[in-house]
Amino acid sequence: WMGSSKADLKAFPPAVMDDIGHQLFRVQCGLEPDDWKPMAVIGAGVREIRVLHCFQKKTQQTSQHEVELARKRLQDVLR
């Protein structure tokens, strides 16, 4: 797990954690998540897995803080 990613995941309700786990399992099996979008701003081939949970985004843009966090985690994985 990178940084706070495990704690971040555990903060979601159990049903959401199950859905995220299922989507990650699909990726591990070489399948695509049910709902995703490319995140080239993070890095080539990076995809955002979208899981419906308790709120809806008011904007389509990902916050700069989240982009920087994802970039850092990607760099940590690539080391």
Side-chain angles (χ1 to χ4, degrees), residues 64-75:
Q64 189 62 34
H65 170 74
E66 297 299 327
V67 168
E68 292 303 322
L69 179 59
R71 282 185 183 146
K72 181 186 178 320
R73 287 179 177 170
L74 177 60
Q75 290 305 311

Side-chain angles (χ1 to χ4, degrees), residues 10-21:
K10 289 190 171 281
F12 285 108
V16 175
M17 284 193 297
D18 288 347
D19 193 9
I20 293 170

